[in-house]
Amino acid sequence: MDNILSIRDSLLERVRKRRKELGISQIELSERSGVSLGSIKRFETKGELALTSLIKIAFALGYESDFNQLFVRKGYVSLEDVINEKK
């Protein structure tokens, strides 16, 4: 199971990779998201960022819909539902 640091590191690496895939600098991401350049730099180096800023960055990178899946558990009615989902 992942620990907090590995989840954090994975997340910030995915954000950095997405930003680079889009060909935008940290400055441009700051302008698009409304998050300060210092906060973006701190996030990409230390993984520290306010939740609101992370959501703003997700919107700027086109990942806003991913937040809808956080902490969502599917309600299974039967064991068959679980088995069918794996298919």
Side-chain angles (χ1 to χ4, degrees):
M1 184 169 166
D2 290 328
N3 63 38
I4 292 170
L5 295 178
S6 66
I7 292 169
R8 180 204 64 194
D9 292 345
S10 176
L11 178 61
L12 71 90
E13 184 57 37
R14 285 180 283 172
V15 169
R16 184 184 302 122
K17 181 179 177 184
R18 175 67 173 163
R19 177 179 61 76
K20 290 180 179 183
E21 285 172 354
L22 294 173
I24 61 175
S25 66
Q26 290 178 331
I27 293 170
E28 189 172 351
L29 180 57
S30 173
E31 292 168 354
R32 288 184 182 190
S33 66
V35 175
S36 73
L37 178 58
S39 291
I40 289 173
K41 287 182 175 185
R42 187 171 49 256
F43 176 63
E44 287 194 6
T45 57
K46 297 180 180 180
E48 298 172 359
L49 190 68
L51 177 59
T52 301
S53 295
L54 181 59
I55 294 169
K56 288 177 179 181
I57 289 170
F59 269 76
L61 296 175
Y63 283 119
E64 63 276 5
S65 64
D66 291 355
F67 279 95
N68 290 329
Q69 296 304 312
L70 274 177
F71 307 112
V72 174
R73 291 185 189 240
K74 294 188 178 186
Y76 299 110
V77 177
S78 69
L79 184 56
E80 188 175 316
D81 290 345
V82 175
I83 293 168
N84 289 334
E85 181 185 58
K86 302 286 183 186
K87 293 180 181 178

